[in-house]
Amino acid sequence: VDPCHVEGTVISMANGTTKLVENLKVGDILDSFDIKGLSDNDEWKSFKTNAMEFKAPKSSAKLVKIIKGTYKNYQDINSGLTKITNEHPVLIKRPDGEIFFKQALYIDTTDMIYVNEKWTKVESNETIHETVNTYSINVEDEDVYIADGILCHNVGDLQVKVGL
């Protein structure tokens, strides 16, 4: 798994404060959601629901692992809303109401992302070719957290791998 969040990403903490991703420490308690039908690790790949059934009550998750790396490019979604590496899973909603996780590279302007607990239209998703410091985080028991206001999924079995 490649490091996911570009340095400077704002992570929401369970106590209502925020921290930059590079300042997180193992043991920190992050803001999270308990999403019906979503449990551990790679299940994000097959998770699907729809707007009528989607439930995401607030929860919290403990940071259990953080890995620093570098990456040679990233996705800039909505002109600086978030900068995230291309493979990272983000919860999206399609125009037909279907909700699932999509890797950042493939998010397009027909998608909506869950920002500050509201569905927000994706206006742009640009690939930026620049080497940046990045961070992967793994949280438990919930496997989702809030980065730059956006609901993101962590990825299990984090291993260091340097950029594409």
Side-chain angles (χ1 to χ4, degrees):
V1 170
D2 301 304
C4 308
H5 297 288
V6 174
E7 194 167 73
T9 298
V10 177
I11 305 295
S12 299
M13 308 302 288
N15 67 5
T17 63
T18 59
K19 275 189 181 182
L20 296 178
V21 69
E22 61 267 26
N23 296 333
L24 290 173
K25 304 271 185 272
V26 169
D28 281 348
I29 307 298
L30 279 54
D31 204 3
S32 187
F33 294 97
D34 180 10
I35 298 177
K36 181 181 150 200
L38 179 68
S39 55
D40 206 17
N41 290 333
D42 279 351
E43 287 193 8
W44 68 266
K45 292 175 182 172
S46 59
F47 173 79
K48 275 198 168 84
T49 189
N50 61 56
M52 298 297 285
E53 294 178 12
F54 180 66
K55 295 201 180 5
K58 289 288 256 182
S59 185
S60 63
K62 184 177 184 177
L63 180 60
V64 296
K65 193 169 193 179
I66 185 162
I67 296 173
K68 182 178 181 193
T70 58
Y71 216 76
K72 292 183 180 168
N73 56 58
Y74 62 88
Q75 298 308 120
D76 179 352
I77 297 175
N78 284 6
S79 301
L81 172 63
T82 197
K83 296 173 181 175
I84 191 167
T85 56
N86 59 12
E87 83 299 331
H88 199 75
V90 176
L91 192 70
I92 64 111
K93 182 169 81 168
R94 299 289 301 153
D96 64 4
E98 187 176 40
I99 295 170
F100 56 95
F101 286 92
K102 195 178 207 184
Q103 291 179 306
L105 178 65
Y106 304 110
I107 293 171
D108 63 49
T109 55
T110 63
D111 295 327
M112 296 182 88
I113 50 179
Y114 203 58
V115 182
N116 298 321
E117 299 181 65
K118 293 191 287 280
W119 291 107
T120 302
K121 184 171 176 17
V122 173
E123 303 288 346
S124 64
N125 184 7
E126 185 181 359
T127 301
I128 306 296
H129 298 280
E130 166 183 87
T131 300
V132 289
N133 291 328
T134 55
Y135 297 82
S136 289
I137 61 176
N138 188 6
V139 297
E140 300 295 342
D141 292 328
E142 312 297 354
D143 283 310
V144 296
Y145 56 91
I146 312 304
D148 290 331
I150 299 167
L151 192 152
C152 294
H153 196 284
N154 67 191
V155 224
D157 299 328
L158 296 176
Q159 296 172 345
V160 174
K161 183 173 158 190
V162 175
L164 288 172

